[in-house]
Amino acid sequence: MTYATAMVSLAVGQPNEALLEVSGQLAAQCSAKVIGVAAAMFSPPMYFLEGAASQQLLDQGEAAIAKLMTELERRFRAAMHGRARDIEWRQAVDLPARYVARESRAADIVIVGGDGNAILDPFAVAGPSDLVLQTGRPLLVVPPGVKWLDLRSALVAWKDCPEARRAVADALPLLAKVKEVTVAGIAEDEGSQAAVRRQTDDVVGWLSRHGIAARAQVP
């Protein structure tokens, strides 16, 4: 029970330190292969150009993206050195979310950056809100500024629905490495607490049969 292949979606022209650090730690924990992916498209300015000037602007923009991707690949390989079982690099001139979603067929989990307070550039960054609907793979979302993969504890926010069942099943390899797992359920109306308690107890029992020690909590 492990993630044999992790894919990390890197942003072109933006900080990726937290993503690279967490990806390297996950690769070491799971003895996983890591695939680095990056995609971007040049977004020309809104004002109108034509002829040679227009083509020159496009050429300059595409050359700048190519240079950024070359540097990004170098940093990816350096960050994964000695941590990942194997590494691979993929890049394209494409919309990032579309490209990463397509390439995610090669991975067990996709690691992506997340900043809920930022407006993401769709020409340079694949955002988690797009990927979670398109990849068909679990996402590990890494906020900026994170320095390590904290496996001391995990919280499973449980609701008795197909999405929650799929999410906790996808997270099994990671939960197996966590020291303390809490399955929390919320009674949404008066009188439903006993039913929610039975549900969370079922999940705790299911996890225990996978060798994961967990406890239920229904406030």
Side-chain angles (χ1 to χ4, degrees):
M1 183 170 59
T2 189
Y3 297 126
T5 305
M7 178 171 286
V8 54
S9 171
L10 299 170
V12 176
Q14 299 192 25
N16 289 285
E17 287 77 10
L19 268 174
L20 290 170
E21 181 59 32
V22 169
S23 299
Q25 292 182 24
L26 181 68
Q29 286 275 352
C30 298
S31 299
K33 173 179 178 175
V34 180
I35 302 173
V37 293
M41 294 181 68
F42 176 61
S43 177
M46 296 299 292
Y47 57 81
F48 181 77
L49 289 175
E50 62 180 7
S54 175
Q55 188 59 50
Q56 183 181 19
L57 181 64
L58 290 172
D59 291 344
Q60 289 174 347
E62 291 172 359
I65 288 174
K67 184 177 180 180
L68 288 171
M69 285 191 176
T70 298
E71 174 60 19
L72 195 53
E73 179 183 2
R74 185 195 66 77
R75 291 168 57 198
F76 164 74
R77 292 186 180 278
M80 296 304 116
H81 180 70
R83 290 174 155 183
R85 177 171 54 85
D86 188 17
I87 58 174
E88 180 182 343
W89 177 256
R90 302 182 182 188
Q91 68 180 55
V93 177
D94 200 348
L95 288 173
R98 181 170 62 191
Y99 180 69
V100 175
R102 186 170 65 243
E103 298 302 303
S104 66
R105 60 181 177 266
D108 299 303
I109 186 170
V110 177
I111 307 168
V112 61
D115 187 350
N117 297 320
I119 298 175
L120 301 179
D121 180 0
F123 291 93
V125 182
S129 59
D130 293 322
L131 294 179
V132 75
L133 296 174
Q134 297 180 37
T135 61
R137 292 290 191 266
L139 297 187
L140 177 60
V141 182
V142 181
V146 169
K147 299 300 182 184
W148 62 300
L149 181 63
D150 189 351
L151 298 177
R152 292 173 298 179
S153 62
L155 174 68
V156 175
W158 180 257
K159 184 175 183 179
D160 199 30
C161 62
E163 293 82 3
R165 297 181 195 122
R166 175 62 187 271
V168 73
D170 285 342
L172 278 177
L174 204 55
L175 293 176
K177 299 181 180 300
V178 173
K179 294 180 180 179
E180 180 182 327
V181 178
T182 300
V183 181
I186 302 296
E188 296 184 10
D189 51 67
E190 192 173 345
S192 65
Q193 188 166 13
V196 175
R197 167 63 69 174
R198 286 195 300 272
Q199 295 164 13
T200 54
D201 285 345
D202 279 346
V203 177
V204 167
W206 174 74
L207 288 171
S208 70
R209 291 186 287 277
H210 284 277
I212 299 169
R215 65 185 181 93
Q217 183 174 348
V218 182

